[in-house]
PDB file of all heavy atoms in Angstrom:
ATOM      1  N   PRO A   3       0.847  -1.203  -0.010  1.00 63.00           N
ATOM      2  CA  PRO A   3       0.002  -0.001  -0.003  1.00 63.00           C
ATOM      3  C   PRO A   3       0.858   1.251   0.006  1.00 63.00           C
ATOM      4  O   PRO A   3       1.978   1.256   0.527  1.00 63.00           O
ATOM      5  CB  PRO A   3      -0.803  -0.150   1.293  1.00 63.00           C
ATOM      6  CG  PRO A   3       0.039  -1.014   2.183  1.00 63.00           C
ATOM      7  CD  PRO A   3       0.723  -1.973   1.245  1.00 63.00           C
ATOM      8  N   PRO A   4       0.371   2.341  -0.583  1.00 61.00           N
ATOM      9  CA  PRO A   4       1.155   3.593  -0.620  1.00 61.00           C
ATOM     10  C   PRO A   4       1.251   4.170   0.777  1.00 61.00           C
ATOM     11  O   PRO A   4       0.444   3.857   1.660  1.00 61.00           O
ATOM     12  CB  PRO A   4       0.343   4.477  -1.556  1.00 61.00           C
ATOM     13  CG  PRO A   4      -1.049   3.952  -1.492  1.00 61.00           C
ATOM     14  CD  PRO A   4      -0.918   2.466  -1.281  1.00 61.00           C
ATOM     15  N   PRO A   5       2.212   5.036   1.026  1.00 63.00           N
ATOM     16  CA  PRO A   5       2.323   5.688   2.332  1.00 63.00           C
ATOM     17  C   PRO A   5       1.047   6.455   2.680  1.00 63.00           C
ATOM     18  O   PRO A   5       0.369   7.013   1.800  1.00 63.00           O
ATOM     19  CB  PRO A   5       3.529   6.618   2.175  1.00 63.00           C
ATOM     20  CG  PRO A   5       4.288   6.071   1.007  1.00 63.00           C
ATOM     21  CD  PRO A   5       3.299   5.445   0.094  1.00 63.00           C
ATOM     22  N   PHE A   6       0.763   6.515   4.004  1.00 56.00           N
ATOM     23  CA  PHE A   6      -0.465   7.132   4.441  1.00 56.00           C
ATOM     24  C   PHE A   6      -0.484   8.620   4.082  1.00 56.00           C
ATOM     25  O   PHE A   6      -1.531   9.186   3.733  1.00 56.00           O
ATOM     26  CB  PHE A   6      -0.612   6.949   5.963  1.00 56.00           C
ATOM     27  CG  PHE A   6      -1.822   7.596   6.542  1.00 56.00           C
ATOM     28  CD1 PHE A   6      -3.079   7.014   6.365  1.00 56.00           C
ATOM     29  CD2 PHE A   6      -1.749   8.798   7.228  1.00 56.00           C
ATOM     30  CE1 PHE A   6      -4.203   7.617   6.889  1.00 56.00           C
ATOM     31  CE2 PHE A   6      -2.873   9.412   7.739  1.00 56.00           C
ATOM     32  CZ  PHE A   6      -4.125   8.803   7.576  1.00 56.00           C
ATOM     33  N   TRP A   7       0.691   9.281   4.188  1.00 58.00           N
ATOM     34  CA  TRP A   7       0.710  10.719   3.921  1.00 58.00           C
ATOM     35  C   TRP A   7       0.411  11.074   2.482  1.00 58.00           C
ATOM     36  O   TRP A   7       0.025  12.201   2.183  1.00 58.00           O
ATOM     37  CB  TRP A   7       2.082  11.297   4.321  1.00 58.00           C
ATOM     38  CG  TRP A   7       3.241  10.573   3.679  1.00 58.00           C
ATOM     39  CD1 TRP A   7       3.961   9.564   4.221  1.00 58.00           C
ATOM     40  CD2 TRP A   7       3.802  10.817   2.373  1.00 58.00           C
ATOM     41  NE1 TRP A   7       4.962   9.131   3.341  1.00 58.00           N
ATOM     42  CE2 TRP A   7       4.865   9.870   2.186  1.00 58.00           C
ATOM     43  CE3 TRP A   7       3.482  11.683   1.349  1.00 58.00           C
ATOM     44  CZ2 TRP A   7       5.607   9.828   1.039  1.00 58.00           C
ATOM     45  CZ3 TRP A   7       4.252  11.636   0.181  1.00 58.00           C
ATOM     46  CH2 TRP A   7       5.299  10.710   0.043  1.00 58.00           C
ATOM     47  N   ARG A   8       0.556  10.101   1.543  1.00 59.00           N
ATOM     48  CA  ARG A   8       0.335  10.400   0.150  1.00 59.00           C
ATOM     49  C   ARG A   8      -1.143  10.680  -0.136  1.00 59.00           C
ATOM     50  O   ARG A   8      -1.477  11.364  -1.094  1.00 59.00           O
ATOM     51  CB  ARG A   8       0.820   9.222  -0.719  1.00 59.00           C
ATOM     52  CG  ARG A   8       0.756   9.492  -2.199  1.00 59.00           C
ATOM     53  CD  ARG A   8       1.433   8.400  -3.001  1.00 59.00           C
ATOM     54  NE  ARG A   8       2.875   8.350  -2.723  1.00 59.00           N
ATOM     55  CZ  ARG A   8       3.694   7.458  -3.273  1.00 59.00           C
ATOM     56  NH1 ARG A   8       3.218   6.554  -4.088  1.00 59.00           N
ATOM     57  NH2 ARG A   8       4.971   7.473  -2.978  1.00 59.00           N
ATOM     58  N   ARG A   9      -2.025  10.180   0.732  1.00 57.00           N
ATOM     59  CA  ARG A   9      -3.447  10.430   0.522  1.00 57.00           C
ATOM     60  C   ARG A   9      -3.815  11.902   0.661  1.00 57.00           C
ATOM     61  O   ARG A   9      -4.811  12.361   0.131  1.00 57.00           O
ATOM     62  CB  ARG A   9      -4.268   9.612   1.522  1.00 57.00           C
ATOM     63  CG  ARG A   9      -4.026   8.112   1.442  1.00 57.00           C
ATOM     64  CD  ARG A   9      -4.847   7.382   2.491  1.00 57.00           C
ATOM     65  NE  ARG A   9      -4.564   5.950   2.511  1.00 57.00           N
ATOM     66  CZ  ARG A   9      -5.108   5.091   3.345  1.00 57.00           C
ATOM     67  NH1 ARG A   9      -5.998   5.527   4.236  1.00 57.00           N
ATOM     68  NH2 ARG A   9      -4.798   3.802   3.304  1.00 57.00           N
ATOM     69  N   PHE A  10      -2.978  12.637   1.419  1.00 57.00           N
ATOM     70  CA  PHE A  10      -3.287  14.043   1.690  1.00 57.00           C
ATOM     71  C   PHE A  10      -2.553  14.986   0.724  1.00 57.00           C
ATOM     72  O   PHE A  10      -2.702  16.201   0.837  1.00 57.00           O
ATOM     73  CB  PHE A  10      -2.919  14.385   3.124  1.00 57.00           C
ATOM     74  CG  PHE A  10      -3.623  13.534   4.139  1.00 57.00           C
ATOM     75  CD1 PHE A  10      -2.981  12.432   4.697  1.00 57.00           C
ATOM     76  CD2 PHE A  10      -4.923  13.809   4.513  1.00 57.00           C
ATOM     77  CE1 PHE A  10      -3.635  11.628   5.631  1.00 57.00           C
ATOM     78  CE2 PHE A  10      -5.593  13.015   5.449  1.00 57.00           C
ATOM     79  CZ  PHE A  10      -4.948  11.931   6.015  1.00 57.00           C
ATOM     80  N   MET A  11      -1.785  14.413  -0.226  1.00 58.00           N
ATOM     81  CA  MET A  11      -1.095  15.275  -1.168  1.00 58.00           C
ATOM     82  C   MET A  11      -2.086  15.848  -2.171  1.00 58.00           C
ATOM     83  O   MET A  11      -3.031  15.173  -2.599  1.00 58.00           O
ATOM     84  CB  MET A  11      -0.012  14.485  -1.917  1.00 58.00           C
ATOM     85  CG  MET A  11       1.136  14.024  -1.032  1.00 58.00           C
ATOM     86  SD  MET A  11       2.417  13.170  -1.998  1.00 58.00           S
ATOM     87  CE  MET A  11       2.921  14.462  -3.127  1.00 58.00           C
ATOM     88  N   PRO A  12      -1.927  17.107  -2.563  1.00 60.00           N
ATOM     89  CA  PRO A  12      -2.853  17.684  -3.549  1.00 60.00           C
ATOM     90  C   PRO A  12      -2.693  17.016  -4.899  1.00 60.00           C
ATOM     91  O   PRO A  12      -1.619  16.621  -5.322  1.00 60.00           O
ATOM     92  CB  PRO A  12      -2.414  19.163  -3.583  1.00 60.00           C
ATOM     93  CG  PRO A  12      -0.982  19.139  -3.117  1.00 60.00           C
ATOM     94  CD  PRO A  12      -0.887  18.015  -2.122  1.00 60.00           C
ATOM     95  N   GLN A  13      -3.835  16.906  -5.579  1.00 60.00           N
ATOM     96  CA  GLN A  13      -3.837  16.306  -6.911  1.00 60.00           C
ATOM     97  C   GLN A  13      -3.217  17.284  -7.905  1.00 60.00           C
ATOM     98  O   GLN A  13      -3.470  18.493  -7.846  1.00 60.00           O
ATOM     99  CB  GLN A  13      -5.278  15.982  -7.337  1.00 60.00           C
ATOM    100  CG  GLN A  13      -5.930  14.936  -6.430  1.00 60.00           C
ATOM    101  CD  GLN A  13      -5.294  13.569  -6.572  1.00 60.00           C
ATOM    102  OE1 GLN A  13      -4.733  13.242  -7.606  1.00 60.00           O
ATOM    103  NE2 GLN A  13      -5.348  12.795  -5.512  1.00 60.00           N
ATOM    104  N   GLY A  14      -2.396  16.738  -8.823  1.00 62.00           N
ATOM    105  CA  GLY A  14      -1.787  17.554  -9.825  1.00 62.00           C
ATOM    106  C   GLY A  14      -2.770  18.005 -10.895  1.00 62.00           C
ATOM    107  O   GLY A  14      -3.928  17.593 -10.940  1.00 62.00           O
ATOM    108  N   ALA A  15      -2.313  18.918 -11.730  1.00 67.00           N
ATOM    109  CA  ALA A  15      -3.177  19.399 -12.800  1.00 67.00           C
ATOM    110  C   ALA A  15      -3.449  18.286 -13.800  1.00 67.00           C
ATOM    111  O   ALA A  15      -2.632  17.393 -13.987  1.00 67.00           O
ATOM    112  CB  ALA A  15      -2.483  20.587 -13.488  1.00 67.00           C
ATOM    113  N   PRO A  16      -4.612  18.301 -14.419  1.00 72.00           N
ATOM    114  CA  PRO A  16      -4.934  17.256 -15.400  1.00 72.00           C
ATOM    115  C   PRO A  16      -3.939  17.302 -16.556  1.00 72.00           C
ATOM    116  O   PRO A  16      -3.478  18.370 -16.960  1.00 72.00           O
ATOM    117  CB  PRO A  16      -6.333  17.593 -15.863  1.00 72.00           C
ATOM    118  CG  PRO A  16      -6.535  19.048 -15.501  1.00 72.00           C
ATOM    119  CD  PRO A  16      -5.701  19.265 -14.270  1.00 72.00           C
ATOM    120  N   PRO A  17      -3.573  16.141 -17.105  1.00 80.00           N
ATOM    121  CA  PRO A  17      -2.562  16.129 -18.176  1.00 80.00           C
ATOM    122  C   PRO A  17      -3.092  16.755 -19.441  1.00 80.00           C
ATOM    123  O   PRO A  17      -4.299  16.758 -19.715  1.00 80.00           O
ATOM    124  CB  PRO A  17      -2.282  14.612 -18.378  1.00 80.00           C
ATOM    125  CG  PRO A  17      -3.539  13.949 -17.900  1.00 80.00           C
ATOM    126  CD  PRO A  17      -4.063  14.793 -16.777  1.00 80.00           C
ATOM    127  N   VAL A  18      -2.202  17.292 -20.217  1.00 89.00           N
ATOM    128  CA  VAL A  18      -2.536  17.886 -21.505  1.00 89.00           C
ATOM    129  C   VAL A  18      -1.988  16.981 -22.602  1.00 89.00           C
ATOM    130  O   VAL A  18      -1.054  16.223 -22.408  1.00 89.00           O
ATOM    131  CB  VAL A  18      -1.982  19.316 -21.634  1.00 89.00           C
ATOM    132  CG1 VAL A  18      -2.587  20.222 -20.605  1.00 89.00           C
ATOM    133  CG2 VAL A  18      -0.456  19.304 -21.506  1.00 89.00           C
ATOM    134  N   SER A  19      -2.568  17.075 -23.746  1.00 89.00           N
ATOM    135  CA  SER A  19      -2.137  16.250 -24.874  1.00 89.00           C
ATOM    136  C   SER A  19      -1.071  16.993 -25.664  1.00 89.00           C
ATOM    137  O   SER A  19      -0.983  18.227 -25.660  1.00 89.00           O
ATOM    138  CB  SER A  19      -3.329  15.939 -25.780  1.00 89.00           C
ATOM    139  OG  SER A  19      -3.881  17.121 -26.320  1.00 89.00           O
ATOM    140  N   GLY A  20      -0.217  16.211 -26.358  1.00 91.00           N
ATOM    141  CA  GLY A  20       0.736  16.802 -27.289  1.00 91.00           C
ATOM    142  C   GLY A  20       2.081  17.162 -26.696  1.00 91.00           C
ATOM    143  O   GLY A  20       2.882  17.784 -27.384  1.00 91.00           O
ATOM    144  N   GLU A  21       2.363  16.771 -25.440  1.00 94.00           N
ATOM    145  CA  GLU A  21       3.691  17.045 -24.873  1.00 94.00           C
ATOM    146  C   GLU A  21       4.676  15.972 -25.351  1.00 94.00           C
ATOM    147  O   GLU A  21       4.598  14.831 -24.967  1.00 94.00           O
ATOM    148  CB  GLU A  21       3.615  17.053 -23.342  1.00 94.00           C
ATOM    149  CG  GLU A  21       2.806  18.235 -22.771  1.00 94.00           C
ATOM    150  CD  GLU A  21       2.880  18.295 -21.275  1.00 94.00           C
ATOM    151  OE1 GLU A  21       3.371  17.318 -20.649  1.00 94.00           O
ATOM    152  OE2 GLU A  21       2.405  19.293 -20.700  1.00 94.00           O
ATOM    153  N   THR A  22       5.595  16.363 -26.228  1.00 95.00           N
ATOM    154  CA  THR A  22       6.520  15.426 -26.875  1.00 95.00           C
ATOM    155  C   THR A  22       7.868  15.457 -26.166  1.00 95.00           C
ATOM    156  O   THR A  22       8.392  16.517 -25.835  1.00 95.00           O
ATOM    157  CB  THR A  22       6.700  15.834 -28.346  1.00 95.00           C
ATOM    158  OG1 THR A  22       5.416  15.881 -28.971  1.00 95.00           O
ATOM    159  CG2 THR A  22       7.550  14.808 -29.079  1.00 95.00           C
ATOM    160  N   THR A  23       8.432  14.250 -25.976  1.00 95.00           N
ATOM    161  CA  THR A  23       9.718  14.083 -25.317  1.00 95.00           C
ATOM    162  C   THR A  23      10.590  13.161 -26.168  1.00 95.00           C
ATOM    163  O   THR A  23      10.141  12.088 -26.571  1.00 95.00           O
ATOM    164  CB  THR A  23       9.567  13.504 -23.914  1.00 95.00           C
ATOM    165  OG1 THR A  23       8.699  14.334 -23.143  1.00 95.00           O
ATOM    166  CG2 THR A  23      10.907  13.396 -23.201  1.00 95.00           C
ATOM    167  N   LEU A  24      11.846  13.560 -26.391  1.00 95.00           N
ATOM    168  CA  LEU A  24      12.767  12.715 -27.135  1.00 95.00           C
ATOM    169  C   LEU A  24      13.258  11.589 -26.221  1.00 95.00           C
ATOM    170  O   LEU A  24      13.728  11.832 -25.113  1.00 95.00           O
ATOM    171  CB  LEU A  24      13.947  13.550 -27.615  1.00 95.00           C
ATOM    172  CG  LEU A  24      15.053  12.804 -28.381  1.00 95.00           C
ATOM    173  CD1 LEU A  24      14.519  12.216 -29.696  1.00 95.00           C
ATOM    174  CD2 LEU A  24      16.249  13.716 -28.661  1.00 95.00           C
ATOM    175  N   VAL A  25      13.193  10.368 -26.714  1.00 95.00           N
ATOM    176  CA  VAL A  25      13.596   9.192 -25.959  1.00 95.00           C
ATOM    177  C   VAL A  25      14.943   8.650 -26.425  1.00 95.00           C
ATOM    178  O   VAL A  25      15.815   8.318 -25.639  1.00 95.00           O
ATOM    179  CB  VAL A  25      12.525   8.079 -26.033  1.00 95.00           C
ATOM    180  CG1 VAL A  25      12.987   6.804 -25.322  1.00 95.00           C
ATOM    181  CG2 VAL A  25      11.217   8.567 -25.411  1.00 95.00           C
ATOM    182  N   LEU A  26      15.140   8.570 -27.748  1.00 94.00           N
ATOM    183  CA  LEU A  26      16.362   8.003 -28.313  1.00 94.00           C
ATOM    184  C   LEU A  26      16.686   8.735 -29.617  1.00 94.00           C
ATOM    185  O   LEU A  26      15.881   8.769 -30.545  1.00 94.00           O
ATOM    186  CB  LEU A  26      16.189   6.506 -28.578  1.00 94.00           C
ATOM    187  CG  LEU A  26      17.402   5.734 -29.064  1.00 94.00           C
ATOM    188  CD1 LEU A  26      18.501   5.761 -27.991  1.00 94.00           C
ATOM    189  CD2 LEU A  26      17.023   4.284 -29.381  1.00 94.00           C
ATOM    190  N   ASP A  27      17.900   9.312 -29.676  1.00 93.00           N
ATOM    191  CA  ASP A  27      18.283  10.069 -30.867  1.00 93.00           C
ATOM    192  C   ASP A  27      18.980   9.151 -31.879  1.00 93.00           C
ATOM    193  O   ASP A  27      19.151   7.959 -31.663  1.00 93.00           O
ATOM    194  CB  ASP A  27      19.166  11.247 -30.475  1.00 93.00           C
ATOM    195  CG  ASP A  27      20.449  10.830 -29.782  1.00 93.00           C
ATOM    196  OD1 ASP A  27      20.998   9.738 -30.102  1.00 93.00           O
ATOM    197  OD2 ASP A  27      20.930  11.554 -28.887  1.00 93.00           O
ATOM    198  N   ASN A  28      19.374   9.745 -33.000  1.00 90.00           N
ATOM    199  CA  ASN A  28      20.040   8.993 -34.076  1.00 90.00           C
ATOM    200  C   ASN A  28      21.436   9.542 -34.328  1.00 90.00           C
ATOM    201  O   ASN A  28      21.909   9.545 -35.470  1.00 90.00           O
ATOM    202  CB  ASN A  28      19.207   9.066 -35.352  1.00 90.00           C
ATOM    203  CG  ASN A  28      18.971  10.514 -35.798  1.00 90.00           C
ATOM    204  OD1 ASN A  28      19.385  11.464 -35.149  1.00 90.00           O
ATOM    205  ND2 ASN A  28      18.303  10.672 -36.914  1.00 90.00           N
ATOM    206  N   ARG A  29      22.084  10.006 -33.278  1.00 89.00           N
ATOM    207  CA  ARG A  29      23.385  10.657 -33.444  1.00 89.00           C
ATOM    208  C   ARG A  29      24.440   9.711 -34.017  1.00 89.00           C
ATOM    209  O   ARG A  29      25.183  10.092 -34.914  1.00 89.00           O
ATOM    210  CB  ARG A  29      23.848  11.239 -32.109  1.00 89.00           C
ATOM    211  CG  ARG A  29      25.154  11.989 -32.154  1.00 89.00           C
ATOM    212  CD  ARG A  29      25.367  12.734 -30.850  1.00 89.00           C
ATOM    213  NE  ARG A  29      25.154  11.811 -29.728  1.00 89.00           N
ATOM    214  CZ  ARG A  29      25.028  12.209 -28.470  1.00 89.00           C
ATOM    215  NH1 ARG A  29      25.053  13.497 -28.190  1.00 89.00           N
ATOM    216  NH2 ARG A  29      24.856  11.329 -27.509  1.00 89.00           N
ATOM    217  N   ASP A  30      24.525   8.501 -33.478  1.00 88.00           N
ATOM    218  CA  ASP A  30      25.537   7.551 -33.938  1.00 88.00           C
ATOM    219  C   ASP A  30      24.929   6.335 -34.615  1.00 88.00           C
ATOM    220  O   ASP A  30      25.618   5.645 -35.383  1.00 88.00           O
ATOM    221  CB  ASP A  30      26.389   7.069 -32.746  1.00 88.00           C
ATOM    222  CG  ASP A  30      27.135   8.235 -32.091  1.00 88.00           C
ATOM    223  OD1 ASP A  30      27.644   9.100 -32.831  1.00 88.00           O
ATOM    224  OD2 ASP A  30      27.180   8.274 -30.841  1.00 88.00           O
ATOM    225  N   TYR A  31      23.679   6.011 -34.298  1.00 92.00           N
ATOM    226  CA  TYR A  31      23.042   4.817 -34.821  1.00 92.00           C
ATOM    227  C   TYR A  31      21.730   5.190 -35.486  1.00 92.00           C
ATOM    228  O   TYR A  31      20.994   6.094 -35.032  1.00 92.00           O
ATOM    229  CB  TYR A  31      22.771   3.793 -33.719  1.00 92.00           C
ATOM    230  CG  TYR A  31      23.996   3.092 -33.226  1.00 92.00           C
ATOM    231  CD1 TYR A  31      24.843   3.666 -32.286  1.00 92.00           C
ATOM    232  CD2 TYR A  31      24.339   1.818 -33.699  1.00 92.00           C
ATOM    233  CE1 TYR A  31      25.994   3.016 -31.828  1.00 92.00           C
ATOM    234  CE2 TYR A  31      25.464   1.137 -33.254  1.00 92.00           C
ATOM    235  CZ  TYR A  31      26.284   1.773 -32.305  1.00 92.00           C
ATOM    236  OH  TYR A  31      27.405   1.121 -31.876  1.00 92.00           O
ATOM    237  N   GLN A  32      21.451   4.473 -36.546  1.00 91.00           N
ATOM    238  CA  GLN A  32      20.147   4.603 -37.219  1.00 91.00           C
ATOM    239  C   GLN A  32      19.150   3.697 -36.501  1.00 91.00           C
ATOM    240  O   GLN A  32      19.407   2.522 -36.278  1.00 91.00           O
ATOM    241  CB  GLN A  32      20.264   4.235 -38.684  1.00 91.00           C
ATOM    242  CG  GLN A  32      18.955   4.328 -39.441  1.00 91.00           C
ATOM    243  CD  GLN A  32      19.118   3.860 -40.892  1.00 91.00           C
ATOM    244  OE1 GLN A  32      20.228   3.686 -41.364  1.00 91.00           O
ATOM    245  NE2 GLN A  32      18.001   3.698 -41.583  1.00 91.00           N
ATOM    246  N   ASN A  33      18.000   4.226 -36.141  1.00 93.00           N
ATOM    247  CA  ASN A  33      16.947   3.466 -35.458  1.00 93.00           C
ATOM    248  C   ASN A  33      15.981   2.892 -36.467  1.00 93.00           C
ATOM    249  O   ASN A  33      15.472   3.598 -37.339  1.00 93.00           O
ATOM    250  CB  ASN A  33      16.199   4.351 -34.457  1.00 93.00           C
ATOM    251  CG  ASN A  33      17.137   4.981 -33.438  1.00 93.00           C
ATOM    252  OD1 ASN A  33      17.980   4.314 -32.865  1.00 93.00           O
ATOM    253  ND2 ASN A  33      17.009   6.279 -33.215  1.00 93.00           N
ATOM    254  N   LEU A  34      15.703   1.587 -36.323  1.00 92.00           N
ATOM    255  CA  LEU A  34      14.771   0.924 -37.218  1.00 92.00           C
ATOM    256  C   LEU A  34      13.540   0.467 -36.431  1.00 92.00           C
ATOM    257  O   LEU A  34      12.949   1.266 -35.753  1.00 92.00           O
ATOM    258  CB  LEU A  34      15.484  -0.253 -37.917  1.00 92.00           C
ATOM    259  CG  LEU A  34      16.726   0.143 -38.726  1.00 92.00           C
ATOM    260  CD1 LEU A  34      17.393  -1.082 -39.311  1.00 92.00           C
ATOM    261  CD2 LEU A  34      16.372   1.143 -39.829  1.00 92.00           C
TER     262      LEU A  34
END
């Protein structure tokens, strides 16, 4: 079970769509 204090933490803002993050680049290797 999660820690008891986590129940009282404020809820974060609802997520938005379209937030893009780079995971793996092609600097030395070509990704297939």
Side-chain angles (χ1 to χ4, degrees):
F6 179 76
W7 53 266
R8 186 172 295 179
R9 303 178 184 178
F10 302 98
M11 293 183 62
Q13 298 292 331
V18 296
S19 62
E21 293 185 350
T22 305
T23 304
L24 179 64
V25 175
L26 185 63
D27 60 33
N28 58 358
R29 182 169 49 193
D30 299 319
Y31 287 82
Q32 179 183 350
N33 302 313
L34 302 177

